Amino acid sequence: MFGLFKKKSEKEKLNEEYKKLLAEYHKLSSIDRKKADLKMAEAEEVAKKMDAIKK
């Protein structure tokens, strides 16, 4: 209840976006390989941003 109004940090937002992109990649991998590769590229960019925040 106390965490109800807690704002998410930039790292948490990027982590959620990364997980969402990987889920979309997995879903698209069996349907359309080209779109799946684009989703993976987007996920890699988010991962790079997360690494930059860690440092």
Side-chain angles (χ1 to χ4, degrees):
M1 185 73 181
F2 293 108
L4 182 62
F5 297 108
K6 179 183 171 193
K7 291 187 179 183
K8 293 182 181 179
S9 70
E10 187 67 25
K11 185 178 177 182
E12 290 172 328
K13 289 178 186 177
L14 288 173
N15 194 19
E16 285 185 12
E17 183 179 354
Y18 182 73
K19 287 181 182 180
K20 183 185 86 164
L21 288 170
L22 285 181
E24 289 178 20
Y25 162 77
H26 183 68
K27 181 179 166 185
L28 288 170
S29 66
S30 62
I31 300 170
D32 188 352
R33 188 65 188 173
K34 187 175 181 178
K35 288 182 182 178
D37 289 342
L38 291 174
K39 287 294 177 186
M40 182 54 94
E42 288 178 38
E44 290 297 322
E45 289 298 319
V46 171
K48 287 179 186 177
K49 289 179 186 177
M50 288 186 340
D51 286 341
I53 289 175
K54 282 184 181 179
K55 294 180 181 179

